[in-house]
Structures are given as C-alpha cells and as structure tokens.
Amino acid sequence: MSSPSAAQPVDLQALNLEDARALLEHDAQNGDREAGESATHYLQRVIDGLCDLSLKDPLTGLGNRRHFHAVLGRSIEAVARTGDSVLLLLLDIDHFKRINDTHGHHAGDQVLRAIAACLARCVRPMDTVARYGGEEFALILPHCRPGFGLVVAERVREAIAALTISVAPLQTLRATVSVGGAYAPEWVRSTAELWIERADQQLYRAKAEGRNRVCLDQPRELAVSAEEKGLLFSQLDLDELPPPGVPAPTAHRVNA
Amino acid sequence: MNETVTPADPQPVVMAQNPIGKVVAVTSGKGGVGKTFVSANLAAALARRGLRVLVLDADLGLANLDVVLNLYPKLTLHDVFTGKATLEEAILPAPGGFSVLLAGSGMVEYSRLTPEVRSEFLRVVHSLVPRYDVVLLDTGAGISDVVLFAVSLASEVLMVATPEPTSLTDAYATIKVLAGQQQRDQVRLIVNQTSRAGSGLAITRQLQQVLDRFVVGALGRPFTLAHLGDIPADPEVRQAVMRRQLLVKSLPDSPAATAIAQIAHALKEKLAAKSG
Ligand SMILES: Nc1ncnc2c1ncn2[C@@H]1O[C@H](COP(=O)(O)OP(=O)(O)OP(=O)(O)O)[C@@H](O)[C@H]1O
Ligand SMILES: [Mg+2]
C-alpha cells in the first residue's frame, strides 16, 4: 500500500491554484511563485494568505464578521474564568444611507475606509476592530475597567466626528457614529449572542436618543471605596501580601 | 453610581425565600480561590463524620467539580432542568462517600436568571433537602443573579477567600451585598492558601472592622463575619487536583487536609446547634 510521504514533492501543476492566486492578487498580496521558492514554501504562503483573507474585510482591511465572532467567543470564555473586564462596543454610522444616496456609493466606501482607519488608530494592539456589518463596526477591548469604558467610547466617537473625509477631489464629508456597549458578564457562563444583544440594545438607545452619542450597559459593580480599602489593608500584616512593585490587581474596581 | 442594575437583570435578587436549614453555600468574591476544592473536600470530610452529604454544582457549568472528582456523567443537572432526566438519574456517588449533582458543560446560558431556571433550581433543592443531612452548594464567584439566588437558599454561607488583596476586596464587596440585599446577619469566612498560622483570624477581624464602620451602621442591625478556619497553602493540593484525587482521602495527614477536617468538625457543630 502506498501512502503519501512527507518527502514526496508537491506537484503544483496538479493543483488548481488559479482562483486562490487571483484572490490573493486582488487583495494586493502577491500570489505568484517567486523565483527559486520551494513548492512547499510557496504553498504555505498561498494558504497563509487565504487564511488571512478569510478573516479580513476586503474594503476596509479590518477583521470581518467571522474574525469578530471568533474573538468574541474566546473572550467570553476567558472572562467567565478570569473576571477580566472586557468591553464590546458596536458602532453604527449615522445616516449612512443618506451619504450613499446623496454622494454615491464610492463616497460611502470612502467614509467606511476613513472610519475604519480611524478606529484602527484609536485602539491598543490587544484590541480587536472589525467591520461587523454594512455600516457597522465592532470593538472588543480587553482589560477595560468599567470606570474607563465611557471615556474610551467617547474618545472613539469624538475622533470619528472630527474626521474630514475626502470623497472626491475638492469634496469632503463629515460623519458621526452612534455607539452601544456592554461588558462581558464576569464569572458566569454566558453566550456571545447575549453579549451582542446587550450592546445592540444600547446602540438602539443611542440612535433613539439622537445619534452621535454613546450608551453603555454598565456592569453591576462590586463597589468598594478607597476609604474602605484603606481601613482593610492598613492594619493587615503585609507578609501575606505580594511584595510592592507587583502590579495592582485589576479585578476589583473603585466606584467614584 | 452604585449597584447599577443592567437591563438584563430587571429585578435584583433579594432573599428569594427563607434560607433552608441544611443548605450550605460555598461562595467567593473572585474566582479561582479554591471554592470547588473546598466544597469537594469538605463534603468528603463531613461524610467521614457520618453525615449524608450532597454537593450541587451551583456554578452551573463553571465549577469544574467534574474535573476535581474525575466524574463525567451522561445525565446532569441540565438534563433535570430540561426534563430529560429525573433527579435520581442525575445524582452520582462521588469517591469521597458523598453524592454529587453536576451541572455539565451543557449548561450554556445561565447568566440571566429566568423564572424557569429559578423555579427548577428551587424544586431541585427542595427535593434534595429531605434526603441529606447537608446540601453543599458550590456556587460561582461574584454577584451575578444565579450566584445570589443560590446563596439566598442557604442558611449558612461559607465565603472562601485567599489573603491576596484582590480576593479580600472582592470578598468584602460580596459580603456587603449579602448583608444588605439578603438581610443576612452572618457569613462564615474560610481563608484559603494562608502562609502563616493565625492570619485568617487577623483577616477576619480586619474585615469585621471595615464592615462595622461602613456597613453595619447603614444596616441598622448587627452583622458578624465569623472565622470558620484557615487552609494553609499546601503543594499537595495542586498535586491532588492534578491526579483527580480528594486530598482528605489520598493524604489525610497533609496540612490542608487536616485543616479541612477541622473546618468540617466546626461546621458540623454549627449545623447541629442550629437544628437542635
Ligand atoms: N490550600 C491550597 N494550597 C495550594 N493550592 C491551592 C489551595 N487551594 C486551592 N489551590 C489551587 O487553586 C486551584 C483553584 O481551585 P478551585 O478550582 O477549587 O477554585 P474555584 O474558586 O472553585 O475556582 P472557580 O472560580 O474557577 O470555580 C486548585 O486547582 C489548586 O491548584
Ligand atoms: Mg469552582
């Protein structure tokens, strides 16, 4: 019985790579085989390119809906065990249909691209930015304490409102977004769908309250004031506690 | 801003009913402090003292009791909730001479306490109570609705905390909620992973001081945090968990197992005093 061995060379002719190459070329990721490149290396590069493409939104270069769902699913599992504060923001461009109708689809695309680039600039490397739907974007922000959620979301909203988007020679547009957000539930088993639903309700609220604004579903807080903490730790023998210099714990929050 | 109740949780859970005599909840402010380890080993230690004990995975799928006990049942609490199994079918004998009711990983969405989950949960606990001397609820951490509801059924609340600042702060915050929302006048503290004798007592006293200053006044009635015991940090714990063994069985003379045996003794006395 013959089995394909790892040493057996790949016959590139026998593979139908045209479509894959076309896809990669289209996305400006060169799908051509380079001179002197081994067949295995080339194939690996094609596969990596396709995987990358499958998670990317072609228009904006952001993560796509599939990528978003993968990250969201992983986050909610992690939060159930770690109690980390992870904020999901859903952003929807205000009156996008009007932009498209008045200025054409090309202008609409320019607006989507400009907002995508702005979002990518606004976040930290560990955050996830995705195009969630036609004119909808999503941000997943790990390690985002509830006290900061609104500040972060407002900063993003303002950055977009401040953009001057050039859509044609000598023609610029401005756009705003409405933002809805929710934190992943801590220490409980839940689902990504429920999490999205909660953020979506807030987005709906932001739209209903007049657009270009942020609404957050604030988590139930474990409220401990600085005075309470002061008294709690002032008398305790610090031998039991980690040495100074260890980063401050993040699982608890101070309520203002 | 205080105690913001999200739209997902329309009504905050107050005392659901009167706490049930033999029901003991094991809970914590933050996760990963040893709740499940304590629940399983405490159950075995109580069983050794002649009590009929059942541990219920009230963490609804996050407890990892299955891993700790090395049991992977076909029928679980989830099947009881959905009517696919009877209570009898889902109750298993655990290695430590007690019974367990596991939640299983099928318990996917229980972050919202629906009226159905609530009444099923209640029905299950009420039908368990007559058959056992102690029903231990291994609850989740924090103050989600499901945890608060499970805890509200218990006449004794055992709060597990480690001496670590985050754990103590979260334990304190959770105790505040239990004292206020659930009108409790007592919670018992187990300090796990201590590195020095006597530290648990010092921690309890300090927490009581903060509670007296910031909570008791507003409550207008006394509240006591009682120190139930300490469990020293013990490398054998990790080993036992990895080998899927109960420490009180495999190494009954280890420091942590000895401590748990003492806690079981103390708890048995408290329960007897209550019912007698
Ligand atoms: N006294 C101890 N000494 C040393 N290690 C310990 C001790 N108690 C617990 N641990 C370690 O902590 C780990 C976490 O314990 P456990 O799973 O019981 O926590 P938990 O509070 O139930 O967590 P979760 O919130 O995830 O349910 C154990 O696997 C064990 O390795
Ligand atoms: Mg657990």
Side-chain angles (χ1 to χ4, degrees):
Chain A
M1 207 173 75
S2 75
S3 64
S5 83
Q8 200 171 318
V10 182
D11 181 4
L12 288 179
Q13 309 303 319
L15 292 170
N16 212 334
L17 289 173
E18 279 68 38
D19 286 352
R21 274 166 55 173
L23 269 175
L24 294 176
E25 270 160 28
H26 177 74
D27 199 58
Q29 312 193 13
N30 201 350
D32 285 337
R33 187 173 178 187
E34 284 161 17
E37 187 176 22
S38 79
T40 313
H41 189 267
Y42 170 63
L43 259 188
Q44 186 63 56
R45 209 155 55 75
V46 171
I47 293 167
D48 288 350
L50 290 175
C51 288
D52 200 39
L53 272 187
S54 72
L55 296 174
K56 240 165 76 174
D57 169 53
L59 180 74
T60 62
L62 295 180
N64 62 14
R65 201 183 173 91
R66 187 188 328 208
H67 178 62
F68 166 72
H69 277 288
V71 175
L72 204 68
R74 253 179 282 135
S75 301
I76 200 159
E77 282 298 311
V79 171
R81 293 241 161 248
T82 61
D84 185 20
S85 297
V86 186
L87 176 62
L88 165 66
L89 295 178
L90 296 180
L91 301 84
D92 189 277
I93 305 176
D94 296 327
H95 301 300
F96 187 68
K97 190 176 172 322
R98 203 186 288 169
I99 298 176
N100 267 330
D101 292 349
T102 321
H103 304 281
H105 286 284
H106 177 71
D109 284 356
Q110 292 304 102
V111 170
L112 286 169
R113 281 208 189 93
I115 290 178
C118 176
L119 290 176
R121 279 196 307 272
C122 278
V123 301
R124 305 159 299 177
M126 63 186 170
D127 299 330
T128 300
V129 190
R131 184 167 171 214
Y132 177 57
E135 65 221 65
E136 231 183 331
F137 296 92
L139 299 181
I140 303 170
L141 311 163
H143 309 305
C144 181
R145 299 230 224 137
F148 299 131
L150 198 59
V151 180
V152 174
E154 279 294 347
R155 210 183 58 211
V156 171
R157 184 192 61 77
E158 283 163 16
I160 290 169
L163 289 177
T164 309
I165 306 165
S166 126
V167 295
L170 300 178
Q171 194 189 9
T172 57
L173 288 183
R174 287 182 167 274
T176 59
V177 290
S178 299
V179 185
Y183 281 88
E186 295 173 8
W187 314 121
V188 279
R189 195 161 268 209
S190 187
T191 62
E193 288 67 38
L194 243 181
W195 191 8
I196 295 173
E197 189 187 307
R198 283 171 46 229
D200 213 37
Q201 281 165 2
Q202 297 300 315
L203 176 58
Y204 183 83
R205 228 182 89 199
K207 290 279 182 188
E209 287 178 9
R211 298 183 166 81
N212 189 23
R213 69 193 60 214
V214 174
C215 289
L216 289 192
D217 180 346
Q218 288 286 355
R220 196 180 284 182
E221 298 256 20
L222 284 175
V224 180
S225 70
E227 285 91 348
E228 287 169 292
K229 265 192 240 180
L231 181 58
L232 179 53
F233 294 111
S234 60
Q235 316 262 320
L236 281 181
D237 199 326
L238 292 170
D239 272 14
E240 285 278 12
L241 310 177
V246 170
T250 53
H252 65 255
R253 293 169 298 266
V254 185
N255 249 13
Chain B
M1 184 183 43
N2 244 320
E3 284 301 294
T4 318
V5 176
T6 66
D9 324 299
Q11 349 74 341
V13 182
V14 286
M15 258 336 210
Q17 4 257 292
N18 297 329
I20 307 162
K22 305 162 177 177
V23 180
V24 177
V26 180
T27 192
S28 66
K30 83 187 268 282
V33 296
K35 271 187 315 291
T36 301
F37 164 73
V38 169
S39 303
N41 282 278
L42 190 56
L46 288 168
R48 236 171 108 162
R49 291 175 180 273
L51 296 182
R52 294 168 301 159
V53 185
L54 177 131
V55 182
L56 190 149
D57 177 356
D59 203 354
L60 301 184
L62 278 174
N64 276 1
L65 253 182
D66 48 354
V67 180
V68 169
L69 298 172
N70 206 13
L71 291 170
Y72 301 93
K74 284 206 175 63
L75 295 171
T76 65
L77 187 59
H78 180 64
D79 300 303
V80 178
F81 279 11
T82 55
K84 278 194 219 113
T86 62
L87 201 51
E88 290 67 32
E89 289 171 314
I91 295 174
L92 296 176
F98 57 96
S99 302
V100 276
L101 189 47
L102 296 169
S105 48
M107 311 282 289
V108 179
E109 179 18 53
Y110 287 94
S111 64
R112 288 200 283 205
L113 186 69
T114 60
E116 293 77 41
V117 173
R118 204 185 159 97
S119 67
E120 272 303 298
F121 203 104
L122 215 67
R123 187 182 65 83
V124 165
V125 171
H126 275 292
S127 37
L128 290 171
V129 163
R131 311 181 202 181
Y132 297 92
D133 298 317
V134 181
V135 174
L136 266 185
L137 306 179
D138 180 9
T139 76
I143 52 168
S144 67
D145 281 354
V146 180
V147 173
L148 289 182
F149 179 68
V151 171
S152 76
L153 303 178
S155 66
E156 287 284 347
V157 180
L158 314 187
M159 174 72 56
V160 183
T162 68
E164 199 220 344
T166 334
S167 164
L168 292 183
T169 311
D170 287 357
Y172 169 72
T174 306
I175 293 167
K176 262 181 27 174
V177 173
L178 298 182
Q181 271 190 28
Q182 302 201 343
Q183 281 107 51
R184 292 199 172 271
D185 54 12
Q186 188 186 61
V187 164
R188 297 187 195 276
L189 187 70
I190 297 178
V191 183
N192 187 23
Q193 303 194 39
T194 56
S195 53
R196 192 150 36 91
S199 62
L201 197 57
I203 286 170
T204 310
R205 288 202 181 118
Q206 198 58 37
L207 280 165
Q208 180 73 58
Q209 262 195 45
V210 188
L211 288 162
D212 285 343
R213 168 92 66 89
F214 293 96
V215 178
V216 171
L219 285 179
R221 57 184 157 77
F223 177 87
T224 319
L225 184 67
H227 178 245
L228 188 60
D230 289 359
I231 305 170
D234 183 345
E236 300 295 353
V237 173
R238 200 184 194 84
Q239 291 292 319
V241 171
M242 302 242 280
R243 284 190 239 113
R244 314 271 160 95
Q245 286 171 343
L246 285 168
L247 191 72
V248 293
K249 270 192 73 194
S250 60
L251 286 169
D253 296 326
S254 62
T258 312
I260 289 176
Q262 277 168 15
I263 290 174
H265 176 71
L267 182 64
K268 188 181 171 185
E269 306 258 284
K270 313 280 178 213
L271 289 169
K274 210 165 234 181
S275 64

